[in-house]
């Protein structure tokens, strides 16, 4: 396995020092009795069966979740340090089994439309849990609804569905074209070069903004998207885990694990290793 690029490290014991209530804020869930697929997965664990998880989504899952019990392609760069791998280790510590598995089928920069169009082909056979991560981009209300309905129509026995929200802490304040027009001082410069400079500048702006005021009331994209996803999850009886709800108060309070923000995200979107601090994902 290869380590994630620019991976911000969490201190040892990070899972034990978060204030009480952090995970409670993160989890939006209906009553367990209204989620038969999740009840089925829990019963199987208690009966000694392995847990099979499939994860679909974008780069925060593709590059940062890792895999467990199955081959993990080099692009799934987090490997044994990923948040998905950490989750499976916790499952195995409580319900030991040699065949627990996490299949990471996420694709960086993909859209929920691409996944929902052929979702059945992305879900590993026998999956008990389907984790869906499209909170950062391309996750309109219509796309959320379509993905939820598509997941509900998977062939029986259907996996339980968990919607996962990785917020965009510092959305760009302007589009690429606006940035390019403002900075086009070399006529022959290629678009890829512009894109590279744009992303570099936005990374610096994002970290500077978060570091300078650490204000959780900033108009963060993840907050608005997360509220919409939470509404869809409630409507369809699905649990939703919101990293924004868990961590925005800690960022505002300049908690030592999340200050400066570069400790948990290196560009405002990626490397959100702080999910490792949420033991009840």
């Amino acid at each position: 396995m290869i380590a994630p690029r620019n991976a911000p490290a969490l201190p040892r014991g990070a899972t034990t020092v978060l204030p009480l209530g952090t995970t409670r804020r993160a989890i939006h869930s209906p009553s367990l009795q209204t989620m038969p697929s999740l009840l089925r997965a829990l019963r199987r664990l208690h009966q000694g069966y392995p847990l099979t998880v499939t994860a679909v989504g974008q780069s925060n899952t593709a590059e940062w979740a890792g895999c467990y019990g199955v081959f993990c392609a080099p692009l799934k760069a987090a490997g044994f340090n990923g948040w998905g791998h950490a989750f499976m280790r916790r499952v195995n510590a409580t319900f030991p089994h040699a065949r627990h598995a996490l299949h990471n089928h996420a694709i960086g920069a993909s859209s929920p439309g691409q996944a929902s169009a052929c979702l059945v082909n992305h879900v590993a056979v026998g999956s008990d849990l389907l984790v869906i991560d499209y909170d950062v981009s391309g996750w309109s209300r219509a796309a959320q609804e379509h993905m939820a309905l598509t997941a509900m129509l998977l062939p029986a026995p259907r996996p339980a569905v968990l919607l996962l929200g990785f917020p965009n802490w510092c959305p760009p304040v302007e589009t690429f074209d606006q940035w390019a027009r403002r900075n086009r001082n070399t006529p022959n410069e290629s678009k890829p070069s512009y894109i590279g400079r744009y992303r570099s500048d936005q990374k610096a702006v994002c970290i500077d903004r978060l570091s300078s005021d650490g204000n959780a009331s900033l108009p963060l994209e993840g907050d608005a998207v997360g509220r919409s996803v939470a509404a869809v999850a409630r409507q369809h009886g699905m649990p939703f885990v919101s990293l924004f709800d868990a961590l925005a108060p800690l960022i505002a309070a300049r908690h030592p694990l999340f200050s400066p923000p570069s400790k948990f995200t290196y560009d405002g979107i990626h490397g959100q290793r702080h999910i490792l601090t949420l033991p009840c994902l």
Side-chain angles (χ1 to χ4, degrees):
M1 302 294 177
I2 56 177
R5 59 182 181 275
N6 301 316
L10 285 174
R12 289 185 180 274
T15 57
T16 66
V17 296
L18 285 180
L20 292 175
T22 300
T23 52
R24 192 161 53 244
R25 285 194 303 268
I27 298 173
H28 302 260
S29 177
S31 166
L32 188 60
Q33 299 303 319
T34 66
M35 297 183 286
S37 294
L38 186 55
L39 276 173
R40 173 182 170 273
L42 291 173
R43 288 194 189 103
R44 284 174 54 82
L45 281 171
H46 281 281
Q47 292 167 359
Y49 291 97
L51 180 73
T52 301
V53 180
T54 295
V56 298
Q58 298 173 313
S59 50
N60 270 306
T61 296
E63 299 181 16
W64 294 89
C67 306
Y68 189 93
V70 293
F71 172 75
C72 203
L75 287 178
K76 314 301 184 186
F80 296 118
N81 295 315
W83 58 259
H85 191 276
F87 168 65
M88 295 302 291
R89 287 201 310 271
R90 297 178 194 279
V91 170
N92 194 55
T94 307
F95 303 99
H97 201 290
R99 291 194 289 117
H100 288 316
L102 166 62
H103 299 262
N104 187 342
H105 293 169
I107 302 172
S110 61
S111 73
Q114 291 171 311
S116 59
C118 52
L119 185 61
V120 69
N121 296 323
H122 290 279
V123 179
V125 174
S127 287
D128 302 292
L129 177 65
L130 172 62
V131 179
I132 300 175
D133 148 41
Y134 285 103
D135 200 5
V136 168
S137 62
W139 200 216
S140 65
R141 181 60 180 260
Q144 296 162 21
E145 291 278 3
H146 189 259
M147 178 65 82
L149 292 171
T150 302
M152 292 172 66
L153 294 174
L154 287 169
R158 298 180 189 88
V161 177
L162 171 66
L163 302 179
L164 178 61
F166 284 104
N168 181 348
W169 297 98
C170 277
V173 294
E174 57 186 343
T175 66
F176 167 78
D177 288 339
Q178 290 173 322
W179 183 91
R181 281 196 298 271
R182 183 165 56 82
N183 290 276
R184 189 171 289 128
N185 49 22
T186 307
N188 295 324
E189 189 169 13
S190 65
K191 186 167 184 176
S193 176
Y194 273 137
I195 292 174
R197 286 174 51 204
Y198 168 74
R199 288 178 176 166
S200 176
D201 282 4
Q202 286 298 330
K203 168 185 171 180
V205 167
C206 170
I207 297 299
D208 287 348
R209 277 177 56 195
L210 283 174
S211 297
S212 62
D213 63 30
N215 185 352
S217 66
L218 284 170
L220 303 175
E221 179 181 311
D223 188 21
V225 175
R227 286 197 300 269
S228 180
V229 177
V232 170
R234 285 194 301 271
Q235 179 182 344
H236 296 288
M238 297 174 175
F240 169 57
V241 174
S242 167
L243 271 290
F244 182 90
D245 290 348
L247 298 174
L250 302 181
I251 294 171
R254 300 186 185 278
H255 187 280
L257 279 180
F258 308 106
S259 181
S262 55
K263 279 189 177 180
F264 71 94
T265 174
Y266 62 86
D267 64 357
I269 301 176
H270 298 99
Q272 302 190 57
R273 292 281 299 281
H274 51 250
I275 197 169
L276 293 177
T277 68
L278 300 177
C280 52
L281 166 65

